[in-house]
Amino acid sequence: IIMMDADFHIISVNKAFEENLGYPGKEIIGKNPKFLRPVGGNDILYEKMDMALKESGRFSGELLVSTKQGAVIPELVNINSIKNDEGEIINYFAIYQSIAQQKETEKKLKKMAQYDNLTKLPNRFLFRFRLLNAFERMEQSDMKTALVFVDLDDFKNVNDTLGHDAGDIVLIQTAKKISQSIRKNDTVARLGGDEFVIILEDIQNLENLKKICKKIIINLHEPFPLLGTTY
């Protein structure tokens, strides 16, 4: 919690504020809390905050805040004004609540929803999203987009004879080999099982496409190190 006067000069902070952001109260008394604003970060949101305080004397929203150690963390900030009997603002008090853990959880959940847990490749959901974007870009240019489907022949035999752990290793290595065969801006996704699909954008001609596909096939034909044995 920060208590400020009508000109936004800090009067006091509580212990939780000192521990959360690392600023001892005695060092910041009398200062404007603008020093909490990260350089070049959240400028638009801070402008909205300033406008809201000017118009209504209150603000509530998420902001990036700088700690004394130089870290930038997300905080839920609520600021309200205190008025005297004449309706004049005499103080502001702000409550900062760290939401870094919440944001990290949201980030992990988003990743789980968009990426295959085993291979870490985009899943079916993210593949569709990127495909639609690729189509939009294709319509705005003369370049072509190609879809390449890849599955592994006799993959079931790996699971049946060596077990699913070995099958997982094969899928992980397959994802790696395909990713190493394509260009940086292309997308390889796992649709499920041993099925992969690749979005190749900016394909100039059929020969260019054949060249990329040949590289994928060559890399997939290289032996797979598997549980101490090469297959």
Side-chain angles (χ1 to χ4, degrees):
I1 297 175
I2 301 178
M3 181 66 73
M4 296 167 281
D5 63 19
D7 296 318
F8 295 100
H9 296 128
I10 297 174
I11 299 172
S12 65
V13 298
N14 68 347
K15 190 67 176 178
F17 175 87
E18 294 179 324
E19 293 175 351
N20 187 27
L21 298 180
Y23 295 99
K26 61 183 181 181
E27 292 185 7
I28 60 176
I29 298 299
K31 292 184 178 181
N32 186 302
K34 286 184 177 181
F35 66 87
L36 295 173
R37 304 183 181 188
V39 178
N42 260 183
D43 290 344
I44 296 178
L45 287 178
Y46 273 108
E47 289 175 5
K48 289 183 178 180
M49 182 190 76
D50 293 338
M51 186 177 298
L53 291 175
K54 184 177 181 180
E55 293 177 351
S56 66
R58 62 171 62 100
F59 168 80
S60 180
E62 296 180 9
L63 296 173
L64 293 178
V65 178
S66 295
T67 68
K68 186 174 182 179
Q69 293 73 27
V72 177
I73 59 176
E75 298 268 323
L76 179 61
V77 181
N78 287 283
I79 304 175
N80 284 283
S81 57
I82 301 174
K83 298 180 180 180
N84 59 19
D85 294 339
E86 286 73 37
E88 300 171 332
I89 294 177
I90 57 175
N91 292 105
Y92 290 94
F93 70 92
I95 300 175
Y96 288 73
Q97 180 182 354
S98 176
I99 53 174
Q101 186 173 356
Q102 175 186 333
K103 288 295 184 181
E104 184 63 26
T105 300
E106 291 176 354
K107 183 178 178 181
K108 289 180 180 178
L109 290 174
K110 183 178 180 180
K111 187 172 183 179
M112 288 174 62
Q114 296 182 346
Y115 289 86
D116 175 56
N117 187 52
L118 178 64
T119 63
K120 312 305 179 186
L121 294 177
N123 61 15
R124 192 182 294 264
F125 173 82
L126 185 54
F127 160 72
R128 290 194 183 114
F129 176 77
R130 292 190 178 180
L131 182 61
L132 290 175
N133 286 341
F135 284 160
E136 289 179 2
R137 287 190 289 270
M138 184 176 63
E139 291 176 353
Q140 298 172 2
S141 68
D142 295 330
M143 307 302 288
K144 302 299 181 183
T145 295
L147 283 181
V148 178
F149 290 88
V150 179
D151 66 4
L152 303 178
D153 293 341
D154 301 321
F155 176 71
K156 185 175 182 297
N157 292 338
V158 177
N159 285 331
D160 292 344
T161 59
L162 299 177
H164 288 278
D165 287 344
D168 287 347
I169 294 174
V170 169
L171 292 174
I172 293 171
Q173 291 190 25
T174 299
K176 184 177 180 180
K177 288 174 180 286
I178 295 176
S179 298
Q180 292 174 341
S181 305
I182 60 178
R183 300 162 302 179
K184 186 176 181 180
N185 294 330
D186 295 327
T187 293
V188 54
R190 183 188 178 203
L191 298 184
D194 65 337
E195 297 180 342
F196 299 83
V197 63
I198 308 164
I199 305 173
L200 300 174
E201 297 191 61
D202 295 338
I203 295 298
Q204 298 176 355
N205 51 57
L206 188 59
E207 290 303 315
N208 182 228
L209 174 60
K210 288 181 178 179
K211 183 178 180 180
I212 297 174
C213 291
K214 184 176 180 180
K215 183 177 181 180
I216 295 172
I217 293 174
I218 290 174
N219 285 343
L220 288 178
H221 271 83
E222 293 179 355
F224 282 70
L226 190 61
L227 301 176
T229 306
T230 300
Y231 291 84

